[in-house]
Amino acid sequence: MDPQDMFNMGGLRKKMPVTFWTFLSRRPRAIGFPVDHRRFWSKDEILGDAFAHNQIVFWVLRCRRS
């Protein structure tokens, strides 16, 4: 059995079903599909809201941004 062969990879659903379903349920959000709008915020939205409401928080966040 070659560990680098793609045909030998897989089987997560049978070996670890809870992990499989957890990863599967998060897949749409990972690819950017807006399943749940409440939990997805971009850095720009966070910085924009901080700029509009609290300048000190904005500058602290902006300085920490890499």
Side-chain angles (χ1 to χ4, degrees):
M1 183 170 112
D2 182 18
Q4 298 296 319
D5 187 5
M6 286 296 292
F7 292 107
N8 294 330
M9 297 182 185
L12 180 65
R13 182 176 50 173
K14 293 178 185 175
K15 294 177 185 174
M16 298 168 39
V18 174
T19 304
F20 170 78
W21 289 110
T22 302
F23 274 86
L24 189 66
S25 69
R26 299 298 178 200
R27 181 178 286 179
R29 189 175 301 160
I31 62 172
F33 189 75
V35 176
D36 187 1
H37 295 288
R38 297 174 295 152
R39 297 184 185 172
F40 179 75
W41 295 98
S42 69
K43 289 185 219 176
D44 297 329
E45 290 290 327
I46 294 169
L47 287 173
D49 192 59
F51 183 78
H53 294 96
N54 193 337
Q55 294 286 316
I56 295 171
V57 173
F58 169 76
W59 288 107
V60 169
L61 290 174
R62 188 170 182 269
C63 291
R64 295 184 52 91
R65 194 171 150 188
S66 54

